[in-house]
Amino acid sequence: MLYDALIQPFIEFGFMRRALVACLALSISAGPIGVFLVLRRMSLMGDAMSHAILPGAAIGFLVFGLSMWAMSLGGLVVALVVALAAGAMSRVTPLKEDAALAGFFLISLALGVLLVSMKGSSVDLLHILFGTLLAVSNGALLLIAAASSLTVIALALVYRTLILECFDPGFLRAVGGRGGLAHATFLALVVLNMVAAMQALGTLMAIGLMMLPATSARMWTISIGRMVGLAVLLAMLSSIAGLIISYHANLPSGPAVILAAGFVYLLSLAIGSNGGLLRRYIRRPHLEH
Amino acid sequence: MGRGLVGNPIEAVLSRARDHHHHQHAAQAVRPAAPILELNDVTIAYDRHPVVHHISGAFAAGSLTALVGPNGAGKSTLLKTIAGLLPVTAGAIRFGIDRRAVAYLPQVVDVDRSFPLRVIDVVDFGHWRKVGALRRLDAQDRTASVAAIASVGLAGLENQPIGQLSVGQFQRVLFARLMVQEAAVILLDEPFNAIDQKTTADLMQVVRTWQDEGRTVIAALHDLEQVKREFPDALLMARELVAWGPTPQTLGDENLAQARALAASWSDPAAAICAR
């Protein structure tokens, strides 16, 4: 019975297994990336950056048709340029990084929609934005695996610098740390993960797998290391739950995965041990000191 | 502290300074001792307007100097420049030590206090010069961090999240981080601002310990009574140098009046190009 519900879909159908592998691999890198987005107060900037992928992917689509590699490469290049340009603008003009990025991503989004409509249909646009999790190709799986591995290694290298850069950038500068380099590396990793997730979850949904488990983890622990681990775990559990539910209820799988993560998020908000609502409203006797 | 790492340039400077210090006591030698930091006609300007104007002089190794002057006198600017965070517009700052052996505590530490870090994590960042972005902290480093936390009076709070600390406690944490940096020169910008009396007294004790260990401490302060009580040397500035030397003479009524008069003249907007 339980076997039928939980295991059998993955045994029986190759597309379910591929979707599962894609989601699990994405979870490993999206978890820690999300934690740093939360810590850097860049939660909404990930969303903005995901739009910047669109014109690049659209150019790839216009020139090479529905080729996963062309669209990924185009998206990667354009989004990297936008992210780094926004970062640079915030350093040389009085604009803050979020304002600079907002300007660039709005241009990108409009440009992307325009480019897609020149050749494709709105169905193609939907695929780019929301992905097709049950039709993940071998190439896309390889890209996801590579991006995920690269992310974990690169994050390990800039981990300490990133934390100090978020916490006390002045001190990092005074002791000669390479804060700017760590920040640029991190932005590049964010973009890489969104591009990798494009075919599976779509650029918009991919942000969900980054942000929801990470914000949920923040509600349970105050240790950054534990937050990273917990975010990965929650992302994986949401992926599995989402896929199984989408299979039995015949729902689109990408949104099901993100909604599962969303459910975990709402639950964490309610009962999280680190500032959850329940703790706030249930009075417990105070301690002696 | 003073772990005597062989081959560590900072330690070498410190032990030299320490020897010097003791020698000074024994022989009652007169100052100046060997300069560890020399200001040579230093001018620092923001957008061509000088905030620090033609200051020359030297800080002796192991000295404890208060940086005093009216608001806008350029104290913070001078400290930031010595810390290497601002460029010198004209003149030069000469270091008798490795420049990296300078530690700096800004007036406003721009940190997110809700950040998920514990006291020990923040203090451990003091080892950055040694371990950088990648290397592991060894047992010695960890011991040093715990000892520093104890010596600022926070023993037992190593694992406390920083979000739960009071303003005074957090300043103690920052002092512990400075301590771990093992710096030969320590720059403090208004370290006792908005800090309660008990914490101020405890942290002042820490500063005295630093001096005993041969470190050179330069602190921007506004409490003249505290400066007269605790700091043997003072540098009085009002964009330009007013006086620099033993505190009682430096902070004489005449000098203070001169500093105030200089401050009163700053409102003149039609600044000519400096001919000096």
Side-chain angles (χ1 to χ4, degrees):
Chain A
M1 170 60 196
L2 206 59
Y3 173 88
D4 281 348
L6 302 183
I7 315 284
Q8 193 257 343
F10 296 109
I11 305 272
E12 193 167 338
F13 297 107
F15 66 85
M16 286 294 284
R17 284 198 297 276
R18 306 166 74 84
L20 182 68
V21 169
C23 283
L24 293 184
L26 280 173
S27 299
I28 291 173
S29 55
I33 291 273
V35 167
F36 278 102
L37 282 171
V38 172
L39 290 181
R40 299 182 74 91
R41 298 167 180 256
M42 282 171 56
S43 302
L44 290 174
M45 282 179 65
D47 216 5
M49 268 192 296
S50 71
H51 294 72
I53 293 178
L54 197 56
I59 291 169
F61 175 66
L62 275 185
V63 181
F64 298 99
L66 208 57
S67 147
M68 198 263 318
W69 292 110
M71 287 166 61
S72 299
L73 196 65
L76 187 66
V77 170
V78 172
L80 272 181
V81 168
V82 167
L84 295 179
M89 284 306 118
S90 70
R91 266 161 222 247
V92 297
T93 68
L95 285 184
K96 296 274 181 222
E97 191 161 13
D98 62 333
L101 192 62
F104 280 104
F105 103 75
L106 287 166
I107 297 171
S108 306
L109 182 62
L111 197 63
V113 173
L114 197 86
L115 285 171
V116 172
S117 73
M118 278 166 68
K119 190 173 167 193
S121 64
S122 60
V123 177
D124 298 320
L125 182 63
L126 277 180
H127 279 176
I128 295 177
L129 289 179
F130 301 111
T132 44
L133 187 49
L134 297 184
V136 179
S137 68
N138 275 344
L141 274 186
L142 271 178
L143 181 65
I144 289 171
S148 178
S149 312
L150 186 68
T151 303
V152 171
I153 294 168
L155 266 187
L157 291 179
V158 296
Y159 186 77
R160 194 183 289 163
T161 317
L162 266 187
I163 292 176
L164 190 50
E165 225 249 333
C166 302
F167 170 64
D168 191 352
F171 180 77
L172 182 66
R173 217 151 57 91
V175 294
R178 310 281 300 272
L181 184 68
H183 184 55
T185 307
F186 176 67
L187 288 181
L189 290 178
V190 174
V191 172
L192 179 68
N193 274 275
M194 284 190 290
V195 171
M198 186 167 69
Q199 207 209 350
L201 289 170
T203 56
L204 288 185
M205 289 290 167
I207 301 297
L209 204 56
M210 283 182 194
M211 298 313 307
L212 290 169
T215 24
S216 308
R218 182 77 166 92
M219 300 302 299
W220 292 101
T221 173
I222 62 136
S223 144
I224 298 176
R226 261 179 250 152
M227 269 169 72
V228 169
L230 191 57
V232 171
L233 190 72
L234 293 177
M236 287 181 158
L237 288 178
S238 309
S239 302
I240 297 168
L243 281 172
I244 290 173
I245 293 169
S246 81
Y247 174 83
H248 291 294
N250 203 15
L251 295 169
S253 44
V257 167
I258 304 305
L259 279 177
F263 176 74
V264 172
Y265 168 65
L266 293 177
L267 200 68
S268 304
L269 279 184
I271 62 168
S273 58
N274 179 33
L277 292 175
L278 200 62
R279 297 243 162 177
R280 195 179 171 130
Y281 292 112
I282 293 181
R283 273 166 196 267
R284 290 182 299 169
H286 67 264
L287 304 172
E288 207 164 281
H289 56 109
Chain B
M1 202 129 318
R3 298 191 306 263
L5 291 174
V6 180
N8 182 336
I10 301 171
E11 278 295 321
V13 170
L14 276 179
S15 62
R16 230 180 299 142
R18 217 172 287 142
D19 291 346
H20 193 95
H21 190 74
H22 290 158
H23 171 77
Q24 211 175 13
H25 269 289
Q28 287 295 308
V30 284
R31 276 171 316 120
I36 198 165
L37 185 60
E38 236 176 305
L39 307 183
N40 203 342
D41 204 28
V42 168
T43 295
I44 308 154
Y46 289 111
D47 196 17
R48 291 181 74 204
H49 290 279
V51 187
V52 172
H53 216 183
H54 299 291
I55 290 189
S56 293
F59 294 94
S63 59
L64 175 56
T65 311
L67 202 51
V68 186
N71 285 336
K75 294 166 290 186
S76 295
T77 304
L78 182 58
L79 287 180
K80 258 186 220 165
T81 309
I82 295 173
L85 297 173
L86 281 178
V88 179
T89 310
I93 299 178
R94 275 233 308 279
F95 290 88
I97 48 157
D98 185 344
R99 206 178 163 142
R100 285 170 299 180
V102 178
Y104 164 64
L105 181 65
Q107 180 172 11
V108 178
V109 179
D110 183 20
V111 299
D112 174 4
R113 290 276 305 279
S114 68
F115 210 80
L117 288 174
R118 299 165 302 162
V119 167
I120 186 85
D121 298 325
V122 176
V123 175
D124 278 341
F125 281 131
H127 295 294
W128 187 279
R129 285 279 189 210
K130 197 181 147 207
V131 298
L134 295 176
R135 257 158 300 160
R136 231 172 221 286
L137 295 176
D138 58 29
Q140 213 173 31
D141 300 329
R142 300 206 175 271
T143 315
S145 296
V146 173
I149 292 171
S151 63
V152 295
L154 293 180
L157 294 184
E158 288 84 2
N159 292 320
Q160 192 89 350
I162 54 167
Q164 294 174 10
L165 300 178
S166 70
V167 175
Q169 283 175 321
F170 189 66
Q171 191 73 353
R172 288 171 191 257
V173 172
L174 294 178
F175 264 68
R177 183 174 71 181
L178 271 178
M179 202 175 275
V180 163
Q181 285 182 262
E182 294 279 351
V185 175
I186 298 172
L187 312 170
L188 307 170
D189 195 353
E190 297 284 1
F192 309 125
N193 233 0
I195 301 291
D196 61 283
Q197 255 178 356
K198 172 83 170 84
T199 304
T200 302
D202 287 356
L203 293 182
M204 197 55 230
Q205 181 55 46
V206 171
V207 170
R208 277 192 292 269
T209 317
W210 285 339
Q211 203 208 0
D212 288 342
E213 288 165 351
R215 300 176 207 276
T216 309
V217 182
I218 307 168
L221 294 164
H222 64 268
D223 181 350
L224 291 185
E225 291 314 309
Q226 184 189 31
V227 172
K228 285 176 184 164
R229 214 169 46 235
E230 311 272 8
F231 287 75
D233 288 297
L235 188 167
L236 177 61
M237 65 186 289
R239 296 200 181 164
E240 44 196 282
L241 187 61
V242 177
W244 188 349
T247 303
Q249 289 92 309
T250 306
L251 297 187
D253 291 340
E254 220 171 283
N255 287 338
L256 289 176
Q258 195 197 338
R260 272 193 294 272
L262 279 169
S265 70
W266 292 337
S267 47
D268 181 11
I273 290 172
C274 176
R276 264 189 279 177

